[in-house]
């Protein structure tokens, strides 16, 4: 093999690792956003004092779990599972 082929292979390995890190970072950011949205949704509604601590935590967990399900469905649709594209699913679920 000549040096340019080895350099090309080395650069492709680096780019592949960068893409994997970028996908992981996007997923972690989406999970963090789901958590922040769940907490802010309960605290900004002003019902945390009425419900109590335990019920507020349960509502936060339910909202976070819904966000995680949406992230998982989006990941499955990006991988090609399903009948059509996922745009119609998220439009129907009002998840823009």
């Amino acid at each position: 093999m000549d040096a340019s082929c080895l350099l090309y292979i080395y650069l492709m390995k680096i780019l592949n690792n960068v893409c994997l890190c970028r996908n992981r970072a996007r997923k972690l950011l989406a999970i963090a956003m789901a958590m922040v949205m769940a907490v802010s949704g309960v605290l900004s509604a002003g019902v945390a004092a009425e419900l109590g601590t335990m019920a507020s935590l349960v509502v936060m967990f339910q909202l976070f779990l819904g966000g995680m399900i949406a992230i998982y469905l989006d990941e499955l649709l990006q991988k090609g599972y399903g009948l059509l594209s996922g745009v119609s699913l998220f439009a129907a679920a009002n998840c823009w």
Side-chain angles (χ1 to χ4, degrees):
M1 293 189 134
D2 100 19
S4 64
C5 288
L6 291 175
L7 180 64
Y8 179 75
I9 291 170
Y10 180 71
L11 288 175
M12 292 309 296
K13 286 182 181 179
I14 290 173
L15 288 175
N16 190 21
N17 287 339
V18 167
C19 281
L20 287 175
C21 290
R22 189 175 296 152
N23 288 339
R24 288 181 187 142
R26 283 183 186 160
K27 196 171 191 178
L28 285 174
L29 182 64
I31 291 169
M33 286 179 60
M35 189 175 297
V36 168
M37 291 297 290
V39 171
S40 67
V42 171
L43 295 180
S44 68
V47 297
E50 292 178 21
L51 293 177
T53 305
M54 193 62 181
S56 296
L57 289 175
V58 169
V59 171
M60 285 181 202
F61 178 72
Q62 288 176 345
L63 290 172
F64 175 70
L65 190 64
M68 291 300 297
I69 289 171
I71 292 168
Y72 181 69
L73 285 175
D74 181 52
E75 185 178 320
L76 285 177
L77 291 172
Q78 285 179 359
K79 287 183 180 180
Y81 294 105
L83 297 174
L84 299 173
S85 70
V87 175
S88 60
L89 172 70
F90 289 109
N94 199 12
C95 292
W96 287 98

